[in-house]
């Protein structure tokens, strides 16, 4: 599924980005080669920084997904055993468990910049 998603959206975006980069460098070299060389010298630093940020955001999104999974597990357990939960009067406890797990996912989403 991930390969299909990449081939559908990611590959087109990648090809477009590479084309824009090559076109931009070519036009810049034709316009002023000294400034273009200075910009090209900073490119490895920018690429490394972008790679590190992407890895960090990816880890945070994985953590957020894991927290959402835990929250959905709590909700599923409660709904599957609704009679037991009701019989023992643990509705408030189950609600607090769910809100705790959902709060972690929300904080992770805020940290990673995803809603």
């Amino acid at each position: 599924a991930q390969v299909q998603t990449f081939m559908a959206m990611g590959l087109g975006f990648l090809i477009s980005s590479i084309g824009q980069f090559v076109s931009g460098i070519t036009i810049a070299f034709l316009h002023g080669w000294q400034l273009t060389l200075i910009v090209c010298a900073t490119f490895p630093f920018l690429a490394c920084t972008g790679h590190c940020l992407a890895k960090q955001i990816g880890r945070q999104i994985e953590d957020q997904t894991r927290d959402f999974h835990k929250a959905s597990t709590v909700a599923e357990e409660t709904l599957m055993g609704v009679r037991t939960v009701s019989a023992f009067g643990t509705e408030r406890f189950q609600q607090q468990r769910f809100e705790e797990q959902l709060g972690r996912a929300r904080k992770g989403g805020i940290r990673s910049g995803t809603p």
Side-chain angles (χ1 to χ4, degrees), residues 36-97:
T36 306
L37 288 177
I38 292 171
V39 170
C40 287
T42 62
F43 180 73
F45 172 73
L46 294 174
C48 182
T49 303
H51 175 72
C52 291
L53 285 173
K55 282 178 63 175
Q56 184 179 11
I57 289 172
R59 270 188 257 126
Q60 289 176 348
I61 289 174
E62 285 177 14
D63 292 343
Q64 180 188 15
T65 303
R66 190 177 323 109
D67 290 336
F68 272 125
H69 178 70
K70 288 178 183 177
S72 68
T73 300
V74 170
E76 184 180 356
E77 288 173 358
T78 303
L79 290 173
M80 295 302 283
V82 69
R83 289 182 182 170
T84 307
V85 169
S86 179
F88 288 111
T90 60
E91 294 94 345
R92 184 68 83 194
F93 173 73
Q94 296 298 333
Q95 181 181 358
Q96 289 172 348
R97 275 183 60 205

Side-chain angles (χ1 to χ4, degrees), residues 71 74-75 92-107:
V74 170
R92 184 68 83 194
F93 173 73
Q94 296 298 333
Q95 181 181 358
Q96 289 172 348
R97 275 183 60 205
F98 178 71
E99 287 175 355
E100 177 185 329
Q101 295 298 329
L102 202 58
R104 290 181 188 163
R106 183 171 185 257
K107 287 178 186 175

Side-chain angles (χ1 to χ4, degrees), residues 8-43:
M9 297 183 334
L11 188 60
F13 181 71
L14 180 66
I15 291 170
S16 173
S17 297
I18 290 172
Q20 288 175 356
F21 176 76
V22 170
S23 300
I25 294 295
T26 303
I27 292 170
F29 261 119
L30 294 174
H31 193 318
W33 64 272
Q34 290 102 348
L35 184 60
T36 306
L37 288 177
I38 292 171
V39 170
C40 287
T42 62
F43 180 73

